[in-house]
């Protein structure tokens, strides 16, 4: 698939879950190949993945989406160091890390909302421990919180 995508020498490669369901060794080889191709061909790459470990390795900037809406946009270092949206925080807390070796991962409570009939306001509010009435009534806009870090949340960075 990657070879076919590159035959027309595109300037943008869209890689949608390119390493999903692959053995870790093969996953590493694919990621190395993508990095090499990016450099040799001068490609920009839009990398779509649910695997934050892979995203951390591959991406310079990260956009986090929940139920089809952009909830956080940042450079990779800022996003992993200081997530601003509660969904991003939940994703990071659910990611396996060495310091959690003896404990349990924290799952995000509840279920993904109905995408055909989403809740009013912020789509994440039914699962959010920070949700207040404004979150039910209004949809937060994606707003700059600091240089190169945006979040769609009425209470960004509060935990």
């Amino acid at each position: 698939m990657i070879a076919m995508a590159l035959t027309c020498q595109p300037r943008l490669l869209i890689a949608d879950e390119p390493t999903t369901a692959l053995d870790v060794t093969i996953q590493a080889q694919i990621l190395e190949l993508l990095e090499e191709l990016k450099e040799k061909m001068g490609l920009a790459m839009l990398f779509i993945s649910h695997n934050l470990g892979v995203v951390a390795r591959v991406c310079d900037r990260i956009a986090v989406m929940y139920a089809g809406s952009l909830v956080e946009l940042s450079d990779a270092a800022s996003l992993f160091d200081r997530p601003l949206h509660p969904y991003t925080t939940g994703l990071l807390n659910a990611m396996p890390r060495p310091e959690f070796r003896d404990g349990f991962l924290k799952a995000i409570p509840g279920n993904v909302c109905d995408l055909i009939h989403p809740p009013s306001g912020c789509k994440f509010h039914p699962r959010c421990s920070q949700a207040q009435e404004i979150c039910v009534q209004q949809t937060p806009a994606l707003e700059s919180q600091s240089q190169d870090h945006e979040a769609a949340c009425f209470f960004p960075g509060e935990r």
Side-chain angles (χ1 to χ4, degrees), residues 37-148:
L37 290 169
K38 243 175 58 174
E39 293 296 317
K40 283 184 178 177
M41 297 180 73
L43 289 172
M45 183 169 55
L46 174 62
F47 192 89
I48 303 166
S49 180
H50 288 89
N51 186 332
L52 290 178
V54 171
V55 168
R57 176 180 170 185
V58 173
C59 300
D60 299 320
R61 292 192 48 77
I62 300 171
V64 177
M65 296 184 74
Y66 180 77
S69 296
L70 188 58
V71 297
E72 190 159 356
L73 177 64
S74 175
D75 63 279
S78 296
L79 186 106
F80 285 96
D81 289 343
R82 195 168 97 66
L84 297 177
H85 195 278
Y87 178 62
T88 307
T89 300
L91 289 175
L92 293 173
N93 287 338
M95 194 170 86
R97 291 186 296 234
E99 61 264 27
F100 294 152
R101 185 172 302 178
D102 296 330
F104 293 96
L105 297 176
K106 296 177 186 174
I108 299 171
N111 296 312
V112 176
C113 67
D114 181 340
L115 298 178
I116 296 173
H117 305 290
S120 61
C122 176
K123 293 177 187 175
F124 189 64
H125 85 262
R127 303 176 74 186
C128 183
S129 62
Q130 296 172 206
Q132 296 183 26
E133 190 59 32
I134 192 170
C135 306
V136 176
Q137 301 297 326
Q138 296 180 33
T139 303
L142 186 70
E143 294 180 342
S144 178
Q145 303 300 319
S146 63
Q147 185 177 3
D148 286 339

